[in-house]
Amino acid sequence: MRVLNKWIQKEPSKNAITILKDRYFLKDGEGNYLESTWDEVAKRIARHVAAAEVNYTNDIEEIKNAEEHFYQLIKSRIFLPNSPTIFNAGKTMDRQLFKKDIEETTLEDYKTIFDSRTKHNMLSACFVIPMDDSMSAIFDAVKNAALIMKYGGGVGYDFSVLRPKGSSIAGTGGKSSGPISFMHVFNTAASTIEQGGARRAAQMAVLRYDHPDVFDFINSKKDNKGNNVLNYFNISVNIDNPKEFKKMLEEDGDLTLEHPASSIRKTIKANDLMNKMVENAWKTGDPGMLFLGRHNQYYAMSEHTPVTATNPCGEEPLPPFGSCNLGSIDVAKLVEDMDLGNPNSPDISEFQEIVYWAVRFLDDVIESNIYPLKEIEEISKKQRFIGLGMMGLADALYKKELPYNSEQARKFMAKLTAELAYFSHVASTELAKERGNFPDFQRSKYPNGFIPFPMLDDEIDEDIKVWNEKIRQHFQGEATKYKRNVQTNTIAPTGSISNLADTSSGIEPNFLLSYVRYMTNKEGDRVPLSYINPILMEKIGTNMTEELKAEIIEKGSIQNIDSIPNEIKKIFVTSMDIPPKDHLLAQHVIQSYLDASCSKTINMPKSSTIEDVKAIYLQALELNLKGLTIYRDGSLETQVLTSSSQE
Ligand code: CDP
């Protein structure tokens, strides 16, 4: 593929290599490096995952063809799988099998790779673990979660099933200590685990808005300074029906807090709940809101296995014991040569091919994965969740000279996501024809012509109308018979992999145009990684004097630099330059074409008031969103990135 060939030649930056060395290169038992180049990593992942194809064919050429496509996607960094796949593919296996040239690799070699997989080869990033309202079930969940986190997965839980604090416990005559006390147990367990030996663990706690302990939950991270209280948790309040809740707020209605396993009942004002959520979110960013009712509306198996929580960063709703492996296409690299989002583009088949191979890769990961629990393996293989998303959106917009906070950019985002969703679903249908439907297909909503996302109105744009029509035809036609994966699209934060790809993360605007990022290496030393956005460097060209560079590094944004022309300022916006409502609208248009969800933070300026935060929360209840996370600048003391002036 033409565009892959161009990027295969480009080596990762110095920053990317530093991260690879610290976290991703395989090591032996004594800590000696077994790898030293990106090429070796790409080959290892491609071969490990392609080995899953032995389940479908004995034709060695077909397997090699898959490996070659996977290798090109990864080596070019046009597509990267989630971190656990990069850490764990090929781990603890015979190195010689991965050193052989592809020409010399035999069917036996692929079979050996497939058969020698062990618990170390856990490849997924996202899990949801259920718990029952009993002591032994809670501690089983702690153990299950610890195993998942140890190998690099993030875990979400619905704590709503636990009875509220102070409820009676039959048998002991005692009183329950409530969900929040148990969250601390999970937090402590997580604090002892270094995921995949390389990074800190991450968890999501969900609680229903009408659980009697909801205020304790909302307050549970109130005193968070970033490193003390429940610091291995993100917390989200589940409001099943956001429009009904909004009506309750407008009518200043009462809300009854109750739980089926408890006699505790409290009546509160819905507005008091909303105000508390908003106040705390203003202070620390937590809690977020989650709309699981909307998730289930667009989930093809909700009638049998409704989703109950999301993974830690909120982009992947899952049923109990669900798992999902993610992968992201770097659209910033592709926009240089492709007219993405345009349904009449002459090179559209090339994009379709990239998406096909990315979907096939993720589908193969389901087979080549080793699951931490048999319950997880069972549902993951019955429904076959995969999450293909994108990274590099902000850099793509810089290259296309579209300000992130403009109507034009939003149309591009919508068309691009529609195109990604359409081709991903077409690929999943093609794979189903060759490999069979996901086993639960007949019980799912797909045979009835179900479309797993809301879509935007036809009227807003001619191209959107074309994508909508293609999507409708697909889901009313072939998709009623063939679907390999229950869900296909998720947009991850890509916090680490976007650095490996030297691109902007996920669908977020760039947080800063330049920064010094401190990474703590395994020895515990803080290593500075400095960065200035290369697209901006190129745009300013020979006018980029050393003095100007220093000023950009100092400020992180260019909005207050007089010597930079206004046209450039308009395009090169950062998270904090973008009004919160434009963050929200970006999330809205993108979410309109996602069957799973996306990771997105609504950044707000430090000066925002509690009322400003409330306005965003209220707007989120109205739009077709599946959740909301806000962050007010400076509200939490440990920001990951800082411009140099703040260091
Ligand atoms: O870039 P990378 O693949 O490392 O991860 P990401 O896109 O930032 O995060 C994707 C998902 O990985 C998160 O939603 C979590 O489920 C999981 N994750 C985790 O478990 N622990 C972390 N420290 C970071 C991410």
Side-chain angles (χ1 to χ4, degrees), residues 343-596:
N344 306 310
S345 157
D347 45 32
I348 199 159
S349 60
E350 205 172 343
F351 183 69
Q352 177 168 10
E353 210 182 333
I354 290 172
V355 172
Y356 171 81
W357 285 104
V359 167
R360 184 155 159 176
F361 176 95
L362 296 174
D363 191 62
D364 280 349
V365 168
I366 297 172
E367 297 304 311
S368 52
N369 204 355
I370 292 287
Y371 296 86
L373 294 171
K374 69 173 185 336
E375 293 91 334
I376 296 178
E377 174 159 15
E378 198 176 303
I379 192 162
S380 303
K381 289 190 171 165
K382 270 192 178 163
Q383 300 195 21
R384 308 188 70 86
F385 295 86
I386 58 170
L388 179 61
M390 63 172 107
M391 54 185 165
L393 176 67
D395 281 357
L397 292 170
Y398 288 168
K399 287 182 183 172
K400 287 180 75 74
E401 307 201 332
L402 296 174
Y404 190 99
N405 48 333
S406 66
E407 191 59 37
Q408 255 182 315
R410 283 195 284 275
K411 284 190 179 173
F412 171 69
M413 294 175 199
K415 290 189 280 187
L416 174 60
T417 319
E419 181 176 26
L420 178 71
Y422 173 67
F423 285 132
S424 304
H425 272 282
V426 167
S428 179
T429 290
E430 288 308 309
L431 286 175
K433 289 182 194 166
E434 296 161 21
R435 303 175 166 186
N437 286 325
F438 66 90
D440 271 343
F441 176 81
Q442 280 307 334
R443 297 205 298 155
S444 79
K445 298 175 190 168
Y446 286 123
N448 298 326
F450 169 69
I451 304 179
F453 39 79
M455 305 203 282
L456 293 173
D457 292 342
D458 282 356
E459 291 72 50
I460 64 167
D461 184 275
E462 260 316 299
D463 288 346
I464 291 279
K465 188 173 168 191
V466 176
W467 287 121
N468 286 354
E469 271 167 23
K470 282 177 185 287
I471 288 166
R472 279 188 210 110
Q473 270 184 22
H474 173 74
F475 285 104
Q476 281 156 15
E478 288 210 304
T480 60
K481 294 203 192 76
Y482 303 105
K483 195 60 64 193
R484 181 73 175 156
N485 311 91
V486 70
Q487 277 179 182
T488 62
N489 297 110
T490 306
I491 300 182
T494 71
S496 301
I497 62 167
S498 62
N499 287 307
L500 298 185
D502 293 308
T503 196
S504 60
S505 46
I507 50 167
E508 294 290 6
N510 280 295
F511 195 72
L512 296 163
L513 281 166
S514 60
Y515 55 78
V516 182
R517 182 178 201 255
Y518 287 87
M519 200 179 77
T520 308
N521 66 16
K522 297 265 303 168
E523 285 74 44
D525 302 326
R526 273 159 60 84
V527 186
L529 302 175
S530 62
Y531 164 91
I532 177 154
N533 186 279
I535 309 157
L536 177 69
M537 289 282 278
E538 200 174 303
K539 184 76 191 170
I540 296 185
T542 50
N543 293 332
M544 183 64 91
T545 58
E546 283 306 312
E547 223 179 1
L548 182 56
K549 227 175 175 175
E551 195 174 356
I552 297 173
I553 290 183
E554 154 103 14
K555 294 188 166 146
S557 158
I558 57 173
Q559 300 306 314
N560 296 322
I561 300 180
D562 294 341
S563 61
I564 294 182
N566 276 339
E567 313 87 76
I568 297 186
K569 284 183 181 164
K570 258 196 195 159
I571 296 161
F572 286 87
V573 282
T574 63
S575 305
M576 289 302 169
D577 302 328
I578 296 170
K581 79 164 192 343
D582 287 322
H583 280 281
L584 201 65
L585 289 176
Q587 184 179 339
H588 165 67
V589 298
I590 290 170
Q591 199 134 75
S592 299
Y593 291 94
L594 292 175
D595 49 13

Side-chain angles (χ1 to χ4, degrees), residues 267-305:
T267 301
I268 59 150
K269 285 274 174 219
N271 271 308
D272 289 344
L273 180 72
M274 184 66 164
N275 290 342
K276 198 66 198 164
M277 283 200 293
V278 166
E279 186 191 321
N280 287 3
W282 177 87
K283 264 191 208 150
T284 68
D286 276 309
M289 286 194 292
L290 183 63
F291 309 135
L292 285 177
R294 275 191 193 142
H295 280 284
N296 279 315
Q297 186 183 347
Y298 293 108
Y299 166 45
M301 286 295 294
S302 64
E303 287 153 13
H304 306 280
T305 55

Side-chain angles (χ1 to χ4, degrees), residues 24 82-83 125-126 152-154 195 199-200 202 311-313 315 326 492-497:
Y24 296 91
N82 53 211
S83 281
C126 311
Q195 281 188 329
R199 59 180 186 176
R200 47 181 275 147
N311 67 329
C313 304
E315 71 273 17
L326 312 177
T494 71
S496 301
I497 62 167

Side-chain angles (χ1 to χ4, degrees), residues 97-332:
L97 291 167
F98 294 88
K99 285 189 169 163
K100 273 192 183 179
D101 279 346
I102 191 162
E103 292 78 34
E104 292 162 18
T105 309
T106 63
L107 188 59
E108 276 315 304
D109 291 334
Y110 285 112
K111 286 187 174 160
T112 307
I113 291 174
F114 191 75
D115 292 340
S116 61
R117 292 168 304 129
T118 64
K119 62 181 182 187
H120 297 287
N121 305 116
M122 203 288 289
L123 308 179
S124 298
C126 311
F127 295 83
V128 163
I129 288 290
M131 64 188 91
D132 279 339
D133 188 25
S134 77
M135 206 50 117
S136 74
I138 295 168
F139 281 87
D140 279 348
V142 173
K143 178 181 152 204
N144 292 340
L147 288 176
I148 294 169
M149 288 187 279
K150 177 176 166 195
Y151 295 111
V155 193
Y157 322 86
D158 177 20
F159 280 93
S160 313
V161 289
L162 304 190
R163 74 192 73 182
K165 185 171 73 183
S167 310
S168 312
I169 304 172
T172 65
K175 300 274 181 214
S176 161
S177 57
I180 288 79
S181 69
F182 289 110
M183 281 167 61
H184 286 274
V185 177
F186 283 84
N187 195 68
T188 307
S191 72
T192 64
I193 295 164
E194 219 183 28
Q195 281 188 329
R199 59 180 186 176
R200 47 181 275 147
Q203 303 174 102
M204 167 68 86
V206 176
L207 198 80
R208 283 183 62 87
Y209 73 124
D210 55 1
H211 189 288
D213 289 356
V214 69
F215 281 92
D216 287 351
F217 182 74
I218 293 170
N219 284 331
S220 65
K221 291 192 70 175
K222 184 168 69 111
D223 301 320
N224 186 25
K225 295 277 189 291
N227 57 4
N228 50 4
V229 186
L230 293 175
N231 52 329
Y232 291 86
F233 267 112
N234 289 323
I235 62 170
S236 263
V237 175
N238 170 30
I239 298 167
D240 250 323
N241 186 337
K243 287 201 174 144
E244 193 185 277
F245 185 65
K246 178 130 191 274
K247 199 158 157 258
M248 217 185 262
L249 296 174
E250 282 159 2
E251 292 167 357
D252 197 20
D254 288 342
L255 176 64
T256 305
L257 309 182
E258 56 191 338
H259 190 278
S262 172
S263 58
I264 294 175
R265 259 174 89 95
K266 301 174 193 167
T267 301
I268 59 150
K269 285 274 174 219
N271 271 308
D272 289 344
L273 180 72
M274 184 66 164
N275 290 342
K276 198 66 198 164
M277 283 200 293
V278 166
E279 186 191 321
N280 287 3
W282 177 87
K283 264 191 208 150
T284 68
D286 276 309
M289 286 194 292
L290 183 63
F291 309 135
L292 285 177
R294 275 191 193 142
H295 280 284
N296 279 315
Q297 186 183 347
Y298 293 108
Y299 166 45
M301 286 295 294
S302 64
E303 287 153 13
H304 306 280
T305 55
V307 299
T308 53
T310 69
N311 67 329
C313 304
E315 71 273 17
E316 186 60 41
L318 288 167
F321 291 120
S323 83
C324 185
N325 67 91
L326 312 177
S328 306
I329 292 179
D330 181 6
V331 293

Side-chain angles (χ1 to χ4, degrees), residues 629-644:
T629 305
I630 69 121
Y631 175 71
R632 187 174 63 89
D633 191 26
S635 59
L636 189 66
E637 285 176 7
T638 53
Q639 264 172 261
V640 184
L641 303 176
T642 46
S643 63
S644 61

